[in-house]
Amino acid sequence: MVKATDMMGAQSPAVAVPPYWEEAKQELMKRDRIMKKLIPQFGDLHLVGHDDPFTTLARSIVKQQVTPKAAAAAWQKLLAACPKFTPAAVLKAGAEELSACGLSKRKTEYILDLADNFKTKKVHASQWDQMDDEAVIAELVQIRGITRWTAEMFLIFNLLRPNVLPLDDPGLIQGISQNYFSGEPVSRSDAREVSANWEPYRTVATWYLWRSLDPVPVE
């Protein structure tokens, strides 16, 4: 167990290191000259996972297409409106109360639809640990408001999958551009070619490229 740095730079309580993390660091530093330079810069920092699938996905919807500050404010209002943030509590709150938290009409609909999917067990959250990455993505993108990128972030931050390559993530593409191509534009094909050297730890390499752009770990 180690202490992780939260988004404000403070020390948060001890959290578990993903079981593959240390091995992944060593393998990436052996194989990749950029990772060999990058990884030691961040010491004991590591990916910190989120526990509750419903909360993780709802928060990802709140974050879509708004500034981090606006997303954080809306999320805090949501938690105030639904202190027990469960599918049943969200459905009970209803559209009017969710909208009053600063959510757009569409995001309100998305979160209510997500809650309905969980409450009626249209999604198989209890089975996701046993399903492969693409099977989880295929199920998640059937929910309104969940894109492939959102599903990949869920694989990384909730299921702690070690080999996710989120090609739709601007931070990953920018990180590859700055670290591997001297800031030149990078295509998805370029990104795939670079990432071939990272398997089966593409999540870990992605996380370090995010850190190279913003040293404060994201939630």
Side-chain angles (χ1 to χ4, degrees):
M1 304 283 278
V2 300
K3 288 186 180 295
T5 304
D6 66 19
M7 291 189 72
M8 300 305 293
Q11 290 294 312
S12 60
V15 294
V17 181
Y20 51 81
W21 200 261
E22 290 304 319
E23 180 179 343
K25 286 167 61 176
Q26 297 306 316
E27 284 296 316
L28 289 169
M29 287 191 290
K30 283 181 189 175
R31 298 180 198 171
D32 188 296
R33 61 183 178 81
I34 300 298
M35 289 293 153
K36 187 176 181 180
K37 295 177 183 177
L38 197 56
I39 289 172
Q41 296 177 28
F42 298 97
D44 291 333
L45 288 179
H46 59 84
L47 172 66
V48 176
H50 300 160
D51 289 334
D52 178 61
F54 174 68
T55 302
T56 302
L57 290 167
R59 192 168 187 176
S60 74
I61 291 172
V62 172
K63 288 179 177 180
Q64 290 172 4
Q65 298 179 324
V66 295
T67 65
K69 184 176 180 180
W75 182 249
Q76 289 306 313
K77 289 178 182 177
L78 263 182
L79 293 182
C82 301
K84 290 185 178 179
F85 198 80
T86 63
V90 168
L91 289 168
K92 184 177 179 181
E96 187 173 342
E97 194 163 349
L98 295 187
S99 295
C101 296
L103 298 179
S104 66
K105 182 174 184 290
R106 180 164 292 180
K107 284 188 181 180
T108 297
E109 291 171 354
Y110 288 166
I111 289 177
L112 288 171
D113 190 55
L114 177 70
D116 181 67
N117 272 273
F118 270 79
K119 187 178 181 185
T120 59
K121 300 191 185 302
K122 292 175 186 172
V123 292
H124 305 93
S126 64
Q127 299 175 26
W128 286 339
D129 277 339
Q130 286 76 48
M131 293 164 62
D132 67 31
D133 291 356
E134 288 301 323
V136 176
I137 290 171
E139 182 161 294
L140 286 175
V141 297
Q142 299 304 310
I143 303 170
R144 293 178 66 203
I146 304 295
T147 64
R148 182 179 178 90
W149 175 85
T150 306
E152 288 169 337
M153 294 303 105
F154 182 80
L155 290 175
I156 291 172
F157 287 102
N158 187 274
L159 297 180
L160 300 179
R161 296 294 172 87
N163 197 33
V164 180
L165 183 71
L167 289 171
D168 293 323
D169 186 77
L172 170 63
I173 299 301
Q174 186 182 353
I176 291 174
S177 170
Q178 290 193 9
N179 288 281
Y180 291 85
F181 292 88
S182 302
E184 293 296 315
V186 172
S187 68
R188 292 168 71 94
S189 177
D190 293 331
R192 284 195 188 94
E193 186 174 342
V194 169
S195 72
N197 210 29
W198 305 337
E199 293 203 52
Y201 299 119
R202 294 182 299 179
T203 293
V204 181
T206 296
W207 189 90
Y208 280 106
L209 290 175
W210 285 337
R211 298 288 64 70
S212 75
L213 303 175
D214 182 0
V216 180
V218 295
E219 288 187 350

